[in-house]
Amino acid sequence: MAMTLAIVGTGVIGAGWAARALAHGLDVVAYDPGPDAEAKLRAAVDNAWGALERSGLAPGADRKRLSFAASVAEAVGKADFIQENAPEREELKQDLLAEIDAAAPAGAVIASSTSGLLPSRLQARMQRPGRLVVGHPFNPVYLLPLVEVLGGKATSPEAVETAKAFYASIGMRPLHVRVEIEGFVADRLMEALWREALWLVNDGVATTEEIDAAVVYGCGLRWSLMGTFLTFHLAGGEGGMRHMLHQFGPALKLPWTKLVAPELTEELIDRVADGCEHQAAGRPIKELERRRDDFLIEVMALAKKYWPEAEGLEGRI
């Protein structure tokens, strides 16, 4: 029997979920109240489909298995799993999740794609809060495997395990965030780099293009395999991380970073936006997305040969 995923909210993230699920042979029922939402969703899925074909479709994968509902209740009424993707406004999500909860089958897990809101607060208005989890993906959802999974104070352990199993079934790597914390794990790391990058632009140290080059041709290549800690472990030579910390630890007290974000003045916004437009060189977003997807498919095909699961070291990086 085919599994049905309900998608509520079909922006960039919701469309990415839809494309991934369809590529893995699921039925997808979607809802979004925005103007031309269905047409935009189908266009987004079409734009992603070429990349998904190259990365490999599961048996039964078919864009025709996508349908668009006229209401939240219609979308979730027969769903096996529900993914909410509304804008990052807490009250909006609380109301929407309560509406989903009232209409969804009793056994369906409800997941929110929020990138930082706490599930304990999101489930506050639900009649059955035990089935609410956060399932935070990364863009493009249809290619990147990481999904952060965490529950709130009322979430049942079974809901978390069900969510992890579902995400794994559609080719994702669930990361169970065991402590409820704003921003979870990955976004807190990215936010630190983002704030520092804004300061470098704000202070006239580097352009957006130069900062991106520092990541693309340097640390980014290492991070795609080893992440932060194992990279520094190697930096310590034969002594590993312990030697690295003793040798370079004192530098942590030096004023190398500014983790408080700079004021987003119009001047800074212009410099950042103009820099990005220069980097884009007139190429439209859809073209840049396809270029990114082509790259990700090739680099992930290489990385998978070296990821821990390929060596029987699941859970280790």
Side-chain angles (χ1 to χ4, degrees):
M1 182 177 176
M3 185 173 186
T4 298
L5 173 67
I7 303 286
V8 181
T10 59
V12 171
I13 299 301
W17 279 118
R20 175 177 279 274
L22 291 166
H24 280 81
L26 274 64
D27 291 321
V28 176
V29 183
Y31 171 75
D32 190 296
D36 301 321
E38 180 176 2
K40 292 176 182 177
L41 171 60
R42 294 189 183 279
V45 170
D46 288 344
N47 194 60
W49 204 252
L52 288 165
E53 287 178 322
R54 291 192 298 279
S55 62
L57 299 176
D62 193 335
R63 283 171 284 182
K64 293 179 181 178
R65 297 179 73 166
L66 170 64
S67 60
F68 204 87
S71 67
V72 169
E74 181 184 338
V76 307
K78 296 181 180 179
D80 298 297
F81 196 94
I82 298 153
Q83 193 77 34
E84 170 272 314
N85 316 282
E88 290 286 275
R89 298 200 300 272
E90 187 175 276
E91 287 195 4
L92 171 64
K93 283 184 177 287
Q94 286 176 334
D95 289 342
L96 178 56
L97 289 166
E99 184 180 359
I100 292 171
D101 182 37
V109 169
I110 302 170
S112 174
S113 295
T114 179
S115 59
L117 299 177
L118 297 180
S120 287
R121 296 183 62 85
L122 294 179
Q123 64 193 180
R125 300 177 188 173
M126 296 173 64
Q127 293 298 310
R128 290 172 285 190
R131 59 176 169 165
L132 187 279
V133 301
V134 162
H136 172 227
F138 294 83
N139 189 40
V141 181
Y142 51 87
L143 289 181
L144 293 185
L146 183 64
V147 56
E148 294 177 310
V149 181
L150 66 152
K153 293 176 181 177
T155 302
S156 71
E158 292 78 14
V160 172
E161 293 304 314
T162 297
K164 289 165 58 180
F166 168 71
Y167 292 133
S169 76
I170 57 172
M172 304 192 83
R173 173 71 181 270
L175 173 62
H176 184 191
V177 181
R178 295 180 299 277
V179 177
E180 220 180 342
I181 184 173
E182 292 90 344
F184 320 137
V185 176
D187 273 2
R188 292 180 78 95
L189 296 172
M190 291 190 291
E191 181 73 9
L193 180 61
W194 173 233
R195 292 183 183 199
E196 190 63 27
L198 288 175
W199 273 115
L200 292 170
V201 174
N202 185 75
D203 294 346
V205 175
T207 65
T208 61
E209 187 171 12
E210 291 164 345
I211 293 166
D212 281 354
V215 175
V216 169
Y217 300 108
C219 55
L221 289 172
R222 299 184 304 197
W223 286 343
S224 66
L225 175 63
M226 293 186 174
T228 303
F229 282 98
L230 200 55
T231 292
F232 279 127
H233 181 60
L234 270 62
E238 292 301 321
M241 176 63 82
R242 192 172 302 279
H243 176 68
M244 195 284 297
L245 288 173
H246 284 302
Q247 183 174 3
F248 298 105
L252 294 173
K253 295 186 180 296
L254 297 176
W256 283 4
T257 61
K258 299 179 179 180
L259 288 183
V260 177
E263 185 69 28
L264 277 180
T265 63
E266 288 302 318
E267 179 184 3
L268 177 56
I269 291 172
D270 287 343
R271 289 168 71 178
V272 172
D274 290 347
C276 291
E277 292 294 340
H278 172 73
Q279 289 177 256
R283 291 170 292 186
I285 293 294
K286 291 299 183 187
E287 179 183 335
L288 292 173
E289 287 177 344
R290 290 191 294 271
R291 183 172 184 265
R292 173 202 64 194
D293 292 353
D294 289 343
F295 172 81
L296 286 174
I297 290 169
E298 292 187 35
V299 77
M300 285 170 62
L302 173 62
K304 284 177 181 177
K305 298 179 183 179
Y306 297 90
W307 281 348
E309 50 265 37
E311 302 175 23
L313 299 171
E314 288 85 354
R316 303 181 190 180
I317 295 296

